Amino acid sequence: QVQLVESGGDSVQAGESLRLSCAASGNIYTSNCVGWFRQAPGKAREGVTSINIVNGKTHYADSVKGRFTISLDNAKSTVYLQMDSLKPEDTAMYYCAAGSSLIIVDGAAACDWDTRFYNYWGLGTQVTVSS
């Protein structure tokens, strides 16, 4: 069993930065992937970024590429989401999840965001970006 706890959400101004944390307990390495998802009111949940915790391969949605960075601290069993140059459209509840949703990107196994293959979910942390 894996438990995930997100933290770091806040209300900020456009252009500012936030770092979200996803702390895992239990054996996260039963999964290949940790992904960050977000859901804005009235919208479907969407994948933001993911990391293959076996090979370190990262994958980003076009909407956040170049602004968001996902990283893994193995010693702390924590996945971070560094969010820079935040925009009002980044406002959402952010969730981390663990599972195995693999695709091939540039010849390496990366993680997709098919929620059917993510077994463990945190409760989310709210990010609000004002213009």
Side-chain angles (χ1 to χ4, degrees):
Q1 189 76 9
V2 174
Q3 290 186 322
L4 304 172
V5 179
E6 304 95 335
S7 61
D10 205 347
S11 295
V12 297
Q13 296 292 313
E16 294 184 341
S17 298
L18 280 176
R19 188 177 79 158
L20 305 185
S21 299
C22 173
S25 60
N27 187 6
I28 195 172
Y29 292 96
T30 58
S31 304
N32 294 100
C33 305
V34 174
W36 282 98
F37 298 76
R38 66 186 181 187
Q39 188 167 19
K43 294 189 176 181
R45 189 170 296 190
E46 62 173 352
V48 175
T49 180
S50 58
I51 186 167
N52 183 329
I53 61 176
V54 176
N55 65 10
K57 179 72 173 176
T58 58
H59 191 43
Y60 296 92
D62 288 343
S63 59
V64 305
K65 202 171 291 184
R67 299 189 298 122
F68 289 13
T69 305
I70 189 171
S71 61
L72 168 65
D73 185 329
N74 281 299
K76 296 181 179 180
S77 295
T78 299
V79 175
Y80 299 101
L81 177 60
Q82 177 67 40
M83 305 188 295
D84 298 321
S85 303
L86 282 161
K87 303 175 180 180
E89 51 263 45
D90 294 319
T91 295
M93 184 71 79
Y94 282 72
Y95 301 88
C96 67
S100 295
S101 182
L102 295 172
I103 57 171
I104 301 298
V105 176
D106 298 329
C111 295
D112 203 345
W113 303 297
D114 191 332
T115 57
R116 296 174 297 172
F117 300 108
Y118 282 86
N119 311 103
Y120 306 103
W121 291 82
L123 296 179
T125 186
Q126 177 68 38
V127 172
T128 303
V129 185
S130 302
S131 58

